[in-house]
Amino acid sequence: MAKKKEILRGAEIFCRALKDEGIKHLFGYPGGAVLHIYDELYKQDAVEHILVRHEQGATHAADGYARATGKPGVVLVTSGPGATNAVTGIATAFMDSIPLVVFTGQVSTHMIGNDAFQEVDAIGITRPCVKHNFLVKDVKDLAATIKKAFYIASSGRPGPVVVDIPKDVTADSCEYDYPKDIDLRSYRPVVKGHPGQIKKAAKLILSAEKPMIYSGGGVILSEASKELTEFSRLLGYPITNTLMGLGAFPATDKQFVGMLGMHGTYEANMGMHHCDVLIAIGARFDDRVTGDLEKFCPYAKIIQIDVDPSSIAKNVPVDVPIVGDVKHVLTDLISILKTEKDKPDAKALKEWWKQMHEWKALDCLKFDRATDVIKPQYVVEKLWELTKGDAYVTSDVGQHQMWAAQFYPFDKPRRWINSGGLGTMGFGLPAAMGVKLAFPDETVACISGEASLVMCIQELSTCLQYSTPIKILSLNNRYMGMVRQWQEFFYSSRYSSSYMEALPDFVKMAESYGHVGMRIEKTSDVEDAIKEALALKDRTVLMDFVTDQTENVYPMIAAGKGHHEMHLSTDTDRELA
């Protein structure tokens, strides 16, 4: 005799479904439309609810959690402003292909379209920045819809999924039946690459005399770092990572030539410009990587591996497209390369590496260490040394983000947590909080700037409530740094609204939230301050480093320029061809 199924209210179904999905943390903020759900959350202990102080903080915290763990981050917000406040975080996850499931409350079904209190069209508003979204109109559809949401968010090219739940659906009852598996006829992501295309790619790879491996965030999302490392070492080719791909290949490995793109290394960008075969793995050729498309890789045959067919040749024409999951495609490619009689041209590769070392000798990341004014690069460098390169590092967006990418070499995937595609100020602090909840015993540092830090500063309260002792390094130059840099370069130093006047006392502010605050003004005090902060294992510490206001991020490719037209520094105030 079949076991009789339980009759549950929609709110109970929500909580039970999260439990059955294996969800441990839920980031959210209550409101009228989701109070039935919050009442049920109160009655259970399988899922820990994290009360943020702003819905944007919820999405960023869940995003950081997802990037660090590889599991979907989960968010619950109320209708109206709750949903709209979450949109920035949803768009951030969408641009970087991060799996989120965001549950938004909605007014009761019979009120939808009546301009009811706290009603917005969450489906319409989020449609351009989600992988998919659902409006649940019947409680009988709720469990299956939740299962679909997690499946869609996590499979293929990951991304955020929004589930809009009217209040009456959470009050109605039905039998609880959470599917173990889901099969969507209209959604079947390709996993295995085409064997013929993979063989074609292998032949082209082995014919290269000036090869470059260009890998992106897709390698990390696919959990393919091991395969990428094996593939790269098997060939002995130079490898560069995108901003989102840092850590996919060990940054301290001799084959790694640094990050590429607008603020990439000279050797990485020159290698891209002069290569004859480019192997693009889990990378989408975004504008900050390519520079002027007319000048991009002019001598190269291009192979592109990506799970999303819409990304293939979207920005740059490719010679050998391979649609498939990076991990599977690299596994097949490695197998072919190991059995192939042809091998890379050793003589040509030796000459190519000789050229690489000549480019590297320019030392494009040099900066003045012999100054009492704190250089922001020095702070990041010291953090790397003192954490032995093993911390989880989040950032906001701007100069500090680029310095973090340049001066904290990541040897492991999922350690570098930043907003790449959308470039969201305010991301770093809540993201660090999310990472710390996922890995309470690990060191989690947030490298920020004073302008970004105040965007979601209220989450310091959440850090205290849930005991997430993160270390915040504010590279405080009293400017919106990257805006100021562009104004200096391209707007004749007209610093329009980029100077940050009336900043708070960050030390007192940290203390007012119950944390430790430090103000560091001399280079000689930087190392001791970071050591002290790291030693305070159970306290959130905000380090306010007063840094050089005039420091710029170099190298830099200006708009309309190619990889070979880099601006290196004020010391070499010229473009090298």
Side-chain angles (χ1 to χ4, degrees):
M1 185 175 176
K3 186 178 178 181
K4 189 175 180 180
K5 292 177 181 176
E6 292 180 88
I7 304 295
L8 301 178
R9 293 194 312 148
E12 295 174 289
I13 289 171
F14 176 91
C15 294
R16 186 73 66 85
L18 293 193
K19 177 184 175 182
D20 289 350
E21 193 63 37
I23 301 305
K24 301 299 182 186
H25 293 95
L26 171 65
F27 301 88
Y29 201 94
V34 288
L35 282 182
H36 293 321
I37 294 175
Y38 271 88
D39 190 49
E40 290 303 324
L41 286 169
Y42 184 85
K43 301 173 186 176
Q44 58 83 56
D45 58 9
V47 180
E48 182 181 7
H49 179 269
I50 307 300
L51 176 64
V52 296
R53 291 343 188 229
H54 190 285
E55 291 88 354
Q56 182 175 340
T59 49
H60 291 333
D63 186 320
Y65 185 99
R67 291 179 200 240
T69 63
K71 300 173 183 177
V74 190
V75 176
L76 173 62
V77 297
T78 195
S79 62
T84 57
N85 281 346
V87 170
T88 297
I90 293 168
T92 300
F94 179 69
M95 288 289 282
D96 290 343
S97 304
I98 305 303
L100 290 189
V101 178
V102 179
F103 296 97
T104 56
Q106 184 55 274
V107 300
S108 294
T109 51
H110 69 279
M111 297 295 292
I112 292 175
N114 288 352
D115 294 332
F117 177 67
Q118 291 193 330
E119 179 193 0
V120 297
D121 179 6
I123 297 300
I125 288 171
T126 61
R127 186 172 287 119
C129 59
V130 293
K131 187 175 178 183
H132 196 65
N133 56 22
F134 298 92
L135 170 60
V136 183
K137 293 184 177 180
D138 191 322
V139 69
K140 296 184 183 70
D141 299 326
L142 182 58
T145 301
I146 292 173
K147 184 67 178 182
K148 289 175 185 177
F150 280 103
Y151 172 64
I152 293 170
S154 304
S155 58
R157 179 181 180 176
V161 175
V162 166
V163 182
D164 200 32
I165 309 175
K167 188 170 184 178
D168 57 325
V169 171
T170 64
D172 292 343
S173 301
C174 71
E175 290 185 345
Y176 177 69
D177 184 13
Y178 194 66
K180 290 184 178 180
D181 300 296
I182 207 80
D183 181 48
L184 301 175
R185 188 171 56 184
S186 59
Y187 175 69
R188 303 251 172 100
V190 174
V191 174
K192 298 287 286 183
H194 190 282
Q197 290 296 93
I198 295 174
K199 288 178 183 177
K200 192 175 176 181
K203 289 190 178 299
L204 182 55
I205 289 167
L206 292 171
S207 73
E209 294 185 355
K210 297 179 179 181
M212 281 291 289
I213 301 171
Y214 151 53
S215 70
V219 175
I220 294 172
L221 295 171
S222 181
E223 307 289 358
S225 296
K226 179 184 173 186
E227 288 75 14
L228 176 69
T229 303
E230 183 180 357
F231 173 76
S232 303
R233 288 177 176 160
L234 181 65
L235 293 165
Y237 292 173
I239 176 169
T240 180
N241 288 159
T242 65
L243 179 71
M244 298 306 301
L246 294 175
F249 183 85
T252 56
D253 192 284
K254 62 183 180 180
Q255 281 180 242
F256 186 64
V257 296
M259 182 177 72
L260 82 162
M262 179 175 281
H263 296 294
T265 65
Y266 187 64
E267 54 268 31
N269 284 332
M270 291 297 280
M272 291 288 286
H273 183 76
H274 290 283
C275 73
D276 63 353
V277 174
L278 178 64
I279 309 155
I281 306 172
R284 60 187 179 89
F285 296 92
D286 78 279
D287 61 293
R288 290 296 170 104
V289 160
T290 63
D292 184 3
L293 287 172
E294 296 290 325
K295 301 173 183 177
F296 180 72
C297 292
Y299 315 111
K301 296 281 188 182
I302 299 177
I303 299 161
Q304 185 180 5
I305 304 167
D306 204 289
V307 73
D308 181 3
S310 72
S311 287
I312 299 284
K314 181 178 181 179
N315 297 326
V316 173
V318 298
D319 299 278
V320 184
I322 303 174
V323 178
D325 181 83
V326 166
K327 191 179 184 77
H328 286 86
V329 173
L330 281 178
T331 299
D332 292 343
L333 201 46
I334 290 166
S335 180
I336 291 171
L337 291 172
K338 283 181 175 179
T339 58
E340 188 67 45
K341 291 180 181 178
D342 294 332
K343 299 299 176 187
D345 186 329
K347 184 179 178 181
L349 190 57
K350 185 178 179 181
E351 285 298 309
W352 183 228
W353 272 112
K354 181 182 176 183
Q355 176 65 80
M356 280 285 173
H357 293 315
E358 288 176 6
W359 287 327
K360 188 174 182 179
L362 281 168
D363 192 14
C364 66
L365 296 180
K366 65 182 178 182
F367 66 93
D368 183 11
R369 290 174 173 80
T371 172
D372 207 35
V373 178
I374 298 173
K375 294 292 185 180
Q377 303 96 314
Y378 181 76
V379 177
V380 178
E381 201 172 65
K382 280 296 170 187
L383 177 68
W384 177 75
E385 289 176 12
L386 294 170
T387 58
K388 298 181 173 59
D390 204 33
Y392 287 84
V393 178
T394 73
S395 83
D396 284 278
V397 171
Q399 286 180 317
H400 65 272
Q401 177 190 29
M402 295 300 107
W403 286 317
Q406 291 173 334
F407 291 93
Y408 197 105
F410 293 93
D411 282 341
K412 298 176 183 178
R414 298 195 180 278
R415 295 295 176 123
W416 170 230
I417 314 291
N418 80 116
S419 169
L422 196 65
T424 308
M425 294 175 71
F427 175 84
L429 169 54
M433 185 175 69
V435 175
K436 190 67 176 177
L437 281 162
F439 299 107
D441 297 327
E442 299 288 342
T443 299
V444 180
C446 169
I447 297 175
S448 189
E450 77 290 344
S452 287
L453 189 57
V454 297
M455 286 269 184
C456 284
I457 196 69
Q458 70 280 349
E459 298 311 328
L460 282 176
S461 184
T462 313
C463 290
L464 184 69
Q465 183 171 346
Y466 296 96
S467 302
T468 57
I470 60 176
K471 313 307 174 190
I472 303 165
L473 296 86
S474 175
L475 306 183
N476 185 350
N477 61 8
R478 287 79 71 209
Y479 272 107
M480 296 179 205
M482 193 60 85
V483 172
R484 184 205 58 75
Q485 178 169 332
W486 278 60
Q487 288 172 335
E488 178 185 331
F489 288 178
F490 309 118
Y491 298 91
S492 303
S493 296
R494 292 186 294 275
Y495 301 127
S496 177
S497 296
S498 57
Y499 182 68
M500 298 295 291
E501 297 183 270
L503 283 168
D505 182 326
F506 285 103
V507 173
K508 289 182 178 178
M509 185 170 64
E511 292 172 348
S512 74
Y513 277 103
H515 305 303
V516 176
M518 300 178 183
R519 185 175 174 87
I520 305 97
E521 300 180 274
K522 295 181 182 178
T523 301
S524 56
D525 294 332
V526 168
E527 183 170 348
D528 286 343
I530 297 175
K531 281 182 178 177
E532 183 181 346
L534 293 173
L536 295 169
K537 299 289 186 184
D538 61 346
R539 300 294 300 276
T540 289
V541 182
L542 197 166
M543 291 165 271
D544 186 25
F545 293 95
V546 181
T547 61
D548 188 342
Q549 286 190 287
T550 65
E551 195 69 14
N552 290 321
V553 179
Y554 293 107
M556 181 173 179
I557 301 174
K561 300 293 183 180
H563 282 141
H564 63 305
E565 299 171 305
M566 299 189 73
H567 194 65
L568 292 189
S569 72
T570 49
D571 297 330
T572 57
D573 195 10
R574 58 194 174 94
E575 292 175 351
L576 299 181

